[in-house]
Amino acid sequence: MGARGRDARLVSEQFSQSPQKLAFYSWYGSTRLFRFRVPPDTVLLRWLLQASQGSGPSCTNVEITVYFRYGAPPVINPLGTSFPDNTSVQPSFLVKMLHGNTSINISHPAPGDWFVAAHLPPSSQKIEVKGFIPTCAYVFQPDMLVVRVVEVSILEPDVPLPQTLLHHPSYLKIFVPEYTQELRLELQGCASNGSLGCPVRLTVGSATLPGNFRKVLTCTGPTQDCRLLLPSPPWGRWLQVTAKSLAGPLVSVAFTAVAALTACRPWSVSFQHLLQNSANQSRNASTGLLPLSPSYQELDRSSGAGDSPFCLRNYPVPREDLDVVSVRFRPLDQVSVQSDMPSVLRLYLNTGMDSGGSLIISLQVNKTAIANNTLVVVCVTAASPFLSFNDSLNCTTAFFQGYPLSLSASSRKTTLVIPYPETDNWYLSLQLVCPESPKECEQALVPVETTLYLVPCLNDCGPYGQCLLLRTHSYLYAGCSCKAGWRGWSCTDNSTAQTVAQQKVATLLLTLSNLLFLAPITVSVHRSHLVEASVYAYTMFFSTFYHACDQPGEAVLCILNYDTLQYCDFLGSGVSIWVTILCMARLKAALKYVLFLLGTLVFAMSLQMDRRAVWNTMGPCLFAIVVMVTMWVYRCGRRRHCYPTSWQRWIFYLLPGISMATMAITIYTSMMTSDNYYYTHSIWHMLLAGSAAFLLPPREQHTDPWACSQKLPCHYEICKNHREELYTVT
């Protein structure tokens, strides 16, 4: 760090978080998000990025993308999808790296929350069975090293502060109170030994990502004075100022720093005026009339700030928390816009937990309220409002590029959506402008209807998406998980979407393919395997309605809770395989039914622990295969003949059934993707049902078709006895 490392005013601190396993990107929930808090008076921020991978054969060098943003999670778009209409997105600051170590330096970072997000390349859309094929683990861990100043000179307004630069820069800061219209920084009496002019570089403000709006003033001219004007500086916070000499390490530079603040005189609706408006709100809304703006004499009495003109109208906007990352803002008074000064609304989004949603700003004017040659200009900014409508319409404050909007007679409604807004106070500035004839706007008064919300997801991700609440430690944020081929930040990109007809076909395939379980049900009943038949019926019923509920969009039907249907479907599929294999083993009835029950309990327990782990199903089924093979080998040894004994049984039943089961397992484990899921999974249903019908053993000897050889414990014989033709009650 050179000279800076020998500066006694600087101290270093390091912050770390636990490493996380990265995932291939498919939606925002695939990213791994880290949140750090940068302390005040930090002059250097260094990110230490560490990425490692496993040593298995499936591990290859994969590119890792890392994003950085100040104040809110980064808004990313690795898939190149489109954002919803009226959505404003700034490009993200990112770096790409392989496994190893990488560092990123940021000078004079803004204090507060900083977010780091990382992910692997976009996924291949292949549906992988958990635990069947070994996967490679890619682990990412960011560390934050900060260097901050412990001795900072306070620059007070209109109080000269002498400074001398030699080896190290000077670190200053000034507090900007609310309603500051302009900040002027000036270096006076600048002189250096051995150098003409004022060789000083002045850096004002803090660095933020992705945008960096720090002001850098280089004073190298022959004049002794150097000044910088900052319109609308950030309100209610300390502003960092760094002065560095450009004259060399052995040349001293002396100057006097002076800061001047231009106060903004606001007109705020008085408490009595609020009470009066609350009482007359319904009458004014019904008649469509607004009270006229009070005269300057009334404004002067209410403000008591002297004889200087007012610079803004302040409309109080209470904050109403509705839910997690869900806030509503409703002005207490009707917002009216004039041409003499901007109307300003402040939105409190500075709790630290509001940056994980989407800020929606919707403005509308009535058709009769605005003339053809008038224009309502709007600017949305953070930290401080934009107040210079009379000078420029660039919607830029000292350190923030705002979001410009406008309302006119031809465009009476406008909407702005800001995903993941920065943690700060946001300001909505409105003013009436008449480009052709400014005099026509002097007496004009335009009412504006405002709809201001912070929501987790825009439109709740629409009909083809699901809004999910994500968490990293104690921080909550929301993201959209899309279905049916829809993509994008809010599932509004239909470039790869399925049509309604395709959705209906997919639903019919996934549901009607389960009707093939009627074949093993019929075979089971015909061969007196009633327990097996009931299991197949259970599987057919819940698999049908689970896939009917699992579909997005219009082709969906849920008779029970989604999680309940999914659990029953997975349980039925596993138990169906279990009872089929044990039935092929031809065990004694008592032992067979005991194993049926124990296996079902094991399946229920394992699915509760991890529903998608392949070995939760494969483990019991392999045990059942071992039991079956053992019994077949035992019979072969006892009879000294191959079991089953009939070659017709092998050719026409066992080999087709085993082939169908093998094909089903192959499709389920290695061929399913997000695009062909509707077809491959339907084939899986049909092959599973068909293999069960072929593999079921024949009925026991001396048992007629559709007959029951067991009696109930209450000694009532409910089926036809194979010895007697009469139905009897014993």
Side-chain angles (χ1 to χ4, degrees):
M1 298 177 60
R4 177 178 292 153
R6 297 188 296 269
D7 195 340
R9 299 170 299 171
L10 303 179
V11 296
S12 61
E13 299 174 341
Q14 186 169 356
F15 303 88
S16 179
Q17 291 191 12
S18 58
Q20 295 190 34
K21 182 180 178 181
L22 298 180
F24 291 93
Y25 186 85
S26 59
W27 66 294
Y28 201 88
S30 307
T31 62
R32 298 297 176 260
L33 188 68
F34 303 84
R35 183 175 71 156
F36 292 87
R37 182 171 293 274
V38 176
D41 303 327
T42 298
V43 296
L44 177 64
L45 167 62
R46 174 172 296 174
W47 296 107
L48 305 176
L49 310 178
Q50 306 175 32
S52 60
Q53 65 183 30
S55 58
S58 60
C59 293
T60 58
N61 287 334
V62 176
E63 189 177 60
I64 301 174
T65 307
V66 186
Y67 303 85
F68 302 88
R69 190 187 178 193
Y70 166 75
V75 180
I76 63 178
N77 188 19
L79 302 179
T81 57
S82 62
F83 284 85
D85 296 336
N86 306 314
T87 301
S88 181
V89 179
Q90 296 181 354
S92 301
F93 176 82
L94 60 91
V95 296
K96 295 181 180 293
M97 59 178 294
L98 299 175
H99 69 279
N101 299 330
T102 303
S103 62
I104 304 294
N105 293 337
I106 301 175
S107 299
H108 304 283
D113 290 337
W114 282 75
F115 291 84
V116 180
H119 64 78
L120 299 176
S123 61
S124 61
Q125 305 298 322
K126 181 180 179 181
I127 301 177
E128 297 182 353
V129 181
K130 184 178 179 180
F132 186 76
I133 299 176
T135 57
C136 183
Y138 299 90
V139 180
F140 177 77
Q141 180 181 15
D143 293 338
M144 183 181 72
L145 176 65
V146 298
V147 178
R148 62 184 183 90
V149 186
V150 294
E151 296 180 8
V152 183
S153 301
I154 305 299
L155 182 60
E156 299 181 5
D158 300 321
V159 177
L161 181 63
Q163 294 288 310
T164 301
L165 302 177
L166 185 59
H167 297 289
H168 306 296
S170 292
Y171 300 106
L172 317 173
K173 65 178 180 180
I174 179 174
F175 184 78
V176 180
E178 291 187 352
Y179 303 108
T180 299
Q181 189 172 7
E182 186 180 71
L183 169 63
R184 185 182 67 214
L185 293 174
E186 186 174 357
L187 303 185
Q188 299 178 354
C190 187
S192 61
N193 52 351
S195 177
L196 299 177
C198 187
V200 176
R201 176 181 290 118
L202 200 65
T203 304
V204 183
S206 302
T208 60
L209 295 179
N212 186 4
F213 295 94
R214 284 185 303 169
K215 304 299 182 182
V216 179
L217 178 64
T218 302
C219 304
T220 57
T223 179
Q224 294 182 342
D225 296 338
C226 188
R227 64 176 56 91
L228 177 66
L229 297 179
L230 299 175
S232 297
W235 289 358
R237 67 181 61 181
W238 291 94
L239 192 62
Q240 292 184 351
V241 180
T242 303
K244 185 177 181 180
S245 174
L246 301 177
L250 301 180
V251 179
S252 64
V253 179
F255 62 90
T256 301
V258 180
L261 300 175
T262 302
C264 174
R265 188 181 175 206
W267 171 67
S268 298
V269 181
S270 64
F271 183 71
Q272 292 78 9
H273 185 54
L274 286 176
L275 293 179
Q276 180 182 359
N277 281 355
S278 300
N280 301 331
Q281 185 177 4
S282 59
R283 176 172 58 85
N284 292 336
S286 61
T287 58
L289 299 177
L290 287 173
L292 295 177
S293 176
S295 62
Y296 278 106
Q297 290 78 10
E298 294 175 347
L299 298 178
D300 182 65
R301 289 196 299 268
S302 64
S303 64
D307 297 331
S308 61
F310 296 93
C311 65
L312 64 88
R313 289 183 180 85
N314 184 28
Y315 286 88
V317 183
R319 171 192 169 105
E320 181 181 358
D321 291 284
L322 303 177
D323 205 339
V324 179
V325 201
S326 182
V327 183
R328 177 170 57 189
F329 300 95
R330 288 194 294 185
L332 295 178
D333 197 23
Q334 175 69 58
V335 179
S336 59
V337 182
Q338 293 180 277
S339 61
D340 54 347
M341 71 182 80
S343 300
V344 177
L345 290 76
R346 174 159 53 180
L347 310 181
Y348 294 92
L349 294 174
N350 56 354
T351 65
M353 300 299 293
D354 302 323
S355 57
S358 295
L359 178 61
I360 302 176
I361 299 175
S362 181
L363 307 175
Q364 186 175 1
V365 295
N366 294 329
K367 184 177 182 180
T368 58
I370 187 169
N372 292 330
N373 57 349
T374 58
L375 187 69
V376 176
V377 183
V378 186
C379 181
V380 181
T381 55
S384 61
F386 178 74
L387 304 175
S388 306
F389 288 100
N390 296 330
D391 300 330
S392 174
L393 300 179
N394 58 5
C395 191
T396 302
T397 60
F399 303 105
F400 190 85
Q401 174 59 56
Y403 304 91
L405 302 171
S406 63
L407 296 168
S408 62
S410 58
S411 177
R412 294 182 293 106
K413 184 176 182 180
T414 183
T415 302
L416 174 66
V417 179
I418 304 176
Y420 294 163
E422 295 179 11
T423 298
D424 214 326
N425 290 328
W426 284 75
Y427 295 88
L428 186 64
S429 305
L430 308 92
Q431 187 166 336
L432 190 64
V433 176
C434 295
E436 298 180 0
S437 178
K439 293 184 179 181
E440 297 182 5
C441 289
E442 294 180 357
Q443 301 299 326
L445 182 68
V446 178
V448 178
E449 300 177 6
T450 61
T451 303
L452 310 171
Y453 278 94
L454 176 72
V455 297
C457 303
L458 179 62
N459 297 328
D460 202 23
C461 300
Y464 300 103
Q466 183 180 9
C467 184
L468 299 177
L469 198 61
L470 308 173
R471 182 179 68 88
T472 172
H473 298 287
S474 61
Y475 179 77
L476 299 176
Y477 58 106
C480 287
S481 177
C482 307
K483 298 182 179 180
W486 290 74
R487 306 188 304 168
W489 187 261
S490 300
C491 302
T492 55
D493 189 338
N494 61 352
S495 58
T496 60
Q498 296 178 348
T499 63
V500 177
Q502 290 175 329
Q503 296 177 41
K504 293 180 178 179
V505 170
T507 303
L508 291 176
L509 282 174
L510 289 170
T511 54
L512 297 183
S513 60
N514 288 285
L515 294 180
L516 263 73
F517 275 97
L518 291 174
I521 293 174
T522 303
V523 173
S524 299
V525 174
H526 180 265
R527 299 178 181 177
S528 301
H529 302 307
L530 299 184
V531 175
E532 291 83 346
S534 63
V535 173
Y536 299 144
Y538 176 94
T539 303
M540 179 183 68
F541 178 83
F542 281 104
S543 180
T544 299
F545 286 100
Y546 163 65
H547 287 291
C549 183
D550 189 41
Q551 302 308 307
E554 301 179 5
V556 59
L557 173 64
C558 295
I559 63 172
L560 292 175
N561 178 270
Y562 175 83
D563 188 71
T564 302
L565 290 173
Q566 185 187 68
Y567 181 85
C568 294
D569 172 54
F570 288 15
L571 178 63
S573 300
V575 175
S576 295
I577 301 173
W578 171 259
V579 299
T580 302
I581 299 174
L582 289 180
C583 186
M584 295 171 61
R586 303 300 290 264
L587 301 170
K588 291 184 179 181
L591 179 59
K592 181 177 72 171
Y593 295 132
V594 168
L595 290 178
F596 279 3
L597 180 59
L598 290 178
T600 302
L601 295 177
V602 171
F603 273 110
M605 177 194 66
S606 61
L607 291 176
Q608 182 65 29
M609 292 189 300
D610 192 345
R611 197 166 297 179
R612 297 189 178 275
V614 65
W615 290 109
N616 289 346
T617 301
M618 294 286 290
C621 292
L622 290 177
F623 175 77
I625 292 176
V626 171
V627 173
M628 181 194 70
V629 172
T630 302
M631 293 303 300
W632 284 14
V633 171
Y634 170 75
R635 289 190 176 92
C636 289
R638 190 181 64 175
R639 300 180 182 182
R640 301 194 180 277
H641 196 279
C642 182
Y643 183 87
T645 58
S646 173
W647 64 269
Q648 293 92 341
R649 179 70 186 166
W650 282 96
I651 297 299
F652 297 109
Y653 294 96
L654 292 181
L655 291 181
I658 294 174
S659 300
M660 296 176 69
T662 304
M663 292 175 58
I665 294 175
T666 303
I667 292 175
Y668 186 81
T669 56
S670 60
M671 296 181 62
M672 286 190 186
T673 65
S674 300
D675 297 330
N676 65 11
Y677 172 79
Y678 308 103
Y679 313 105
T680 54
H681 200 76
S682 300
I683 297 174
W684 151 261
H685 288 163
M686 293 184 287
L687 292 175
L688 184 64
S691 63
F694 277 99
L695 294 176
L696 281 172
R699 59 181 176 272
E700 297 288 346
Q701 295 181 359
H702 309 296
T703 302
D704 295 334
W706 314 101
C708 176
S709 61
Q710 302 296 328
K711 295 183 179 180
L712 295 178
C714 57
H715 302 291
Y716 282 93
E717 188 174 285
I718 62 173
C719 297
K720 185 177 179 181
N721 193 293
H722 68 277
R723 295 180 180 178
E724 298 179 4
E725 295 294 329
L726 299 177
Y727 289 92
T728 60
V729 177
T730 59

